Amino acid sequence: MTKHEFDNKVVIVTGGASGIGKCIAEEFRTCGAHVYVIDKVDGNHFVGDISCKEVIEAFVGEILTKHDTIDCIINNAPPYMSGIKECSFEEFQYAMSVGVTAPFYLVKLLHEHLSQGASIVNISSSRDRMSQPQTESYTAAKGGIAALTHALAMSLAGRARVNSISPGWINTTDIAIEGVDAIQQPVGRVGHPKDIANMVMFLCSNKASFITGENICIDGGMTRQMIYHGDGGWKLEE
């Protein structure tokens, strides 16, 4: 990235009040961008639940009163996680609304306002390709946004690039994660929000101008690690 590449760029980050989203927003601000965050928790940002159509429309309307064009959209807001035993119809719908419908609708409302060469980055999850039990709502939403990524990349071809990132275990707390939870990762540690923010910044930069429709998994190698009972001390308890 060039030193002033993001000066005065207009950037939107959903779910940007904490964790990965907050780190992404801070990185863009450090680089001189105008950053607009929406999150359902209170704070110095647009407060609202993006599962609601009217909230997304109000958020977009506020931004367009200040800017004619949008340069980057980061769809980061996390969906609700619950499994088949406990998840209700309404809860599953809510997860899909936050994780898939909202990113689609946000881009739909703004696609005619995207600058030439704009970048959209969707935050998926390594759960888009692997699962634990009782995670259906979250996993389905993350799989959905990974697929939405390459569909949008084709629809917006020539105007904007669209990519997704699939984080693995990212520690968004102030508590260090050590021991087996760390060393089970092939790289020997869990991830940090900056690991994801760094890739977002790259994908939004001119250095990534030949990358679109791609999903990049950032998980310390966990999804590449083949494990059988007895390997490396791993044991399956029946």
Side-chain angles (χ1 to χ4, degrees), residues 7-74:
D7 279 356
N8 295 314
K9 297 291 186 182
V10 179
V11 178
I12 293 171
V13 182
T14 70
S18 63
I20 293 172
K22 181 179 180 181
C23 185
I24 293 169
E26 289 174 348
E27 285 296 301
F28 274 111
R29 289 192 186 102
T30 298
C31 292
H34 302 288
V35 181
Y36 294 89
V37 166
I38 182 170
D39 203 296
K40 63 182 182 180
V41 302
D42 288 338
N44 187 27
H45 52 261
F46 191 100
V47 178
D49 187 336
I50 63 169
S51 70
C52 299
K53 174 176 178 282
E54 295 77 14
V55 168
I56 300 173
E57 291 170 346
F59 177 55
V60 167
E62 181 174 297
I63 295 170
L64 292 180
T65 62
K66 303 172 184 176
H67 305 279
D68 295 326
T69 58
I70 307 299
D71 299 292
C72 304
I73 300 174
I74 315 302

Side-chain angles (χ1 to χ4, degrees), residues 20 121-129 142-143 145-146 149 163-170 196 199 203 214-220 223:
I20 293 172
V121 180
N122 298 321
I123 305 300
S124 182
S125 168
S126 59
R127 293 176 187 268
D128 63 8
R129 67 205 67 191
K142 290 303 187 180
I145 199 169
T149 295
N163 295 287
S164 62
I165 296 172
S166 291
W169 186 347
I170 305 299
I196 308 305
M199 180 56 70
L203 289 173
E214 188 57 79
N215 175 277
I216 300 170
C217 188
I218 303 177
D219 69 343
T223 54

Side-chain angles (χ1 to χ4, degrees), residues 6-238:
F6 295 108
D7 279 356
N8 295 314
K9 297 291 186 182
V10 179
V11 178
I12 293 171
V13 182
T14 70
S18 63
I20 293 172
K22 181 179 180 181
C23 185
I24 293 169
E26 289 174 348
E27 285 296 301
F28 274 111
R29 289 192 186 102
T30 298
C31 292
H34 302 288
V35 181
Y36 294 89
V37 166
I38 182 170
D39 203 296
K40 63 182 182 180
V41 302
D42 288 338
N44 187 27
H45 52 261
F46 191 100
V47 178
D49 187 336
I50 63 169
S51 70
C52 299
K53 174 176 178 282
E54 295 77 14
V55 168
I56 300 173
E57 291 170 346
F59 177 55
V60 167
E62 181 174 297
I63 295 170
L64 292 180
T65 62
K66 303 172 184 176
H67 305 279
D68 295 326
T69 58
I70 307 299
D71 299 292
C72 304
I73 300 174
I74 315 302
N75 288 306
N76 166 77
Y80 174 76
M81 182 186 287
S82 186
I84 196 166
K85 288 184 179 179
E86 303 293 337
C87 189
S88 68
F89 179 87
E90 291 77 14
E91 288 169 335
F92 192 89
Q93 273 198 323
Y94 180 75
M96 297 301 287
S97 293
V98 171
V100 182
T101 307
F104 166 77
Y105 194 52
L106 181 61
V107 174
K108 177 179 174 64
L109 292 177
L110 289 169
H111 78 278
E112 293 183 351
H113 298 276
L114 293 173
S115 61
Q116 189 64 38
S119 180
I120 298 169
V121 180
N122 298 321
I123 305 300
S124 182
S125 168
S126 59
R127 293 176 187 268
D128 63 8
R129 67 205 67 191
M130 59 191 296
S131 294
Q132 292 174 297
Q134 305 306 316
T135 61
E136 279 80 4
S137 66
Y138 185 91
T139 299
K142 290 303 187 180
I145 199 169
L148 178 65
T149 295
H150 52 75
L152 287 173
M154 297 304 101
S155 295
L156 298 177
R159 181 67 171 269
R161 295 179 299 103
V162 189
N163 295 287
S164 62
I165 296 172
S166 291
W169 186 347
I170 305 299
N171 182 15
T172 58
T173 73
D174 295 326
I175 301 171
I177 297 176
E178 301 174 339
V180 293
D181 284 336
I183 63 174
Q184 70 178 336
Q185 322 281 328
V187 298
R189 66 172 177 88
V190 299
H192 307 298
K194 194 94 177 264
D195 292 319
I196 308 305
N198 286 341
M199 180 56 70
V200 170
M201 301 301 287
F202 170 72
L203 289 173
C204 290
S205 75
N206 290 330
K207 287 188 176 181
S209 62
F210 199 55
I211 303 174
T212 193
E214 188 57 79
N215 175 277
I216 300 170
C217 188
I218 303 177
D219 69 343
M222 283 295 288
T223 54
R224 297 303 188 191
Q225 183 170 230
M226 183 179 288
I227 299 172
Y228 290 97
H229 173 72
D231 284 352
W234 293 78
K235 293 183 179 180
L236 177 65
E237 296 183 2
E238 297 185 73

